[in-house]
Amino acid sequence: AARELFELLVELDERERDERLAALADAALATRVRRLLAADRLPDAALGDPLAAAAAWLAEEKRDAGLPPDRRGERIGPWRILSPLGRGGMGEVFLAERADGAFERRVALKLLKRGLDSEEIVARFLAERRILARLDHPGIAQLVDGGLAPDGRPYFALELVEGESITNWCAARRASLEERLRLVLDVVAAVDFAHRNLVVHRDLKPSNILVTAAGQAKLLDRRQPAATQRVLLGRC
């Protein structure tokens, strides 16, 4: 409940937030939401104890003994996991498909790792989701959905970009100078759009720039807000 309320209040001005929190009958819930809101405003250096977060993650990894559970078929919100796509320091990414019959679509579903669900880290993960939601550009992988998994961990679903890294695409097709320049201009346009929305990518490299079968260059999600220079903990 605290996380849902946090997402409702985080975009409001401080006065309206305080009024809504003061009206809550559940004082404990109000306190948790205030902590999440405070964590969302923290600079990068104040994320809490990174060693404690890393220790929790390593303990989880040790329990897994190098054999991650088979999560195929598991439901996360309206999505069904099909297979793993990648794992990183803070998140797991899965290939997933829509499972509620509303429509057919496959996505890259990013889920916060177990053991890293402190209020501060959750706030950062949710902040990344909000950033993705406002980056509506054909050259940037789009946010499709977001919510909470059954165990309370937040997730978000991104457009599944199927393609090759920009360097492999050019090499495989022996792309002409004109084709290469066109792709560079596509990337520059996407980066410019992100910058105008106060978001800095900070990890531009071939593996994070895919070219689709239609020849469209797409930036994958390695972003952070320029205004505060925070590192987004959902990076994989």
Side-chain angles (χ1 to χ4, degrees):
R3 292 173 189 174
E4 289 93 335
L5 187 55
F6 163 79
E7 293 200 69
L8 288 173
L9 299 183
V10 69
E11 301 295 345
L12 301 180
D13 62 56
E14 190 170 355
R15 182 184 60 80
E16 191 170 358
R17 283 184 200 162
D18 289 341
E19 288 176 354
R20 295 201 183 189
L21 288 171
L24 284 177
D26 188 336
L29 175 61
T31 298
R32 288 201 65 198
V33 175
R34 285 192 177 95
R35 287 175 181 166
L36 284 170
L37 291 167
D40 184 62
R41 294 193 297 269
L42 289 175
D44 181 41
L47 281 173
D49 185 352
L51 291 178
W57 174 72
L58 288 172
E60 185 67 35
E61 292 289 289
K62 187 175 181 180
R63 283 195 294 273
D64 289 344
L67 297 172
D70 185 351
R71 306 188 69 167
R72 287 175 296 181
E74 183 176 335
R75 285 283 296 267
I76 304 289
W79 306 97
R80 179 187 297 112
I81 292 176
L82 298 177
S83 62
L85 289 177
R87 305 184 79 192
M90 296 293 170
E92 300 171 284
V93 183
F94 302 93
L95 173 64
E97 65 180 1
R98 191 80 181 191
D100 61 0
F103 53 86
E104 293 184 7
R105 182 163 190 173
R106 290 190 171 190
V107 297
L109 188 144
K110 181 179 284 189
L111 178 66
L112 187 67
K113 275 188 175 178
R114 285 178 293 175
L116 296 179
D117 52 354
S118 70
E119 290 182 347
E120 291 84 1
I121 292 177
V122 167
R124 296 304 188 203
F125 193 90
L126 295 176
E128 181 180 8
R129 195 167 73 189
R130 293 198 308 277
I131 289 167
L132 291 168
R134 73 172 187 256
L135 293 181
D136 185 10
H137 187 276
I140 299 174
Q142 299 297 294
L143 181 71
V144 176
D145 185 34
L148 296 176
D151 61 6
R153 285 183 290 160
Y155 74 87
F156 55 79
L158 288 169
E159 171 190 3
L160 182 65
V161 180
E162 299 188 49
E164 301 173 76
S165 71
I166 190 169
T167 49
N168 288 349
W169 191 92
C170 289
R173 290 158 182 78
R174 296 182 180 179
S176 66
L177 178 60
E178 182 179 352
E179 289 173 315
R180 293 169 191 256
L181 289 174
R182 179 185 59 78
L183 288 175
V184 169
L185 289 174
D186 286 347
V187 173
V188 169
V191 172
D192 175 65
F193 178 83
H195 286 180
R196 284 187 282 109
N197 281 273
L198 302 180
V199 176
V200 178
H201 193 290
R202 293 196 67 194
D203 198 14
L204 287 172
K205 57 187 179 185
S207 60
N208 288 338
I209 305 169
L210 298 188
V211 182
T212 68
Q216 169 72 53
K218 290 263 191 182
L219 299 187
L220 303 187
D221 68 313
R222 301 290 192 273
R223 309 178 183 109
Q224 83 175 51
T228 58
Q229 296 292 292
R230 297 179 299 189
V231 174
L232 293 175
L233 299 182
R235 292 174 62 172
C236 287

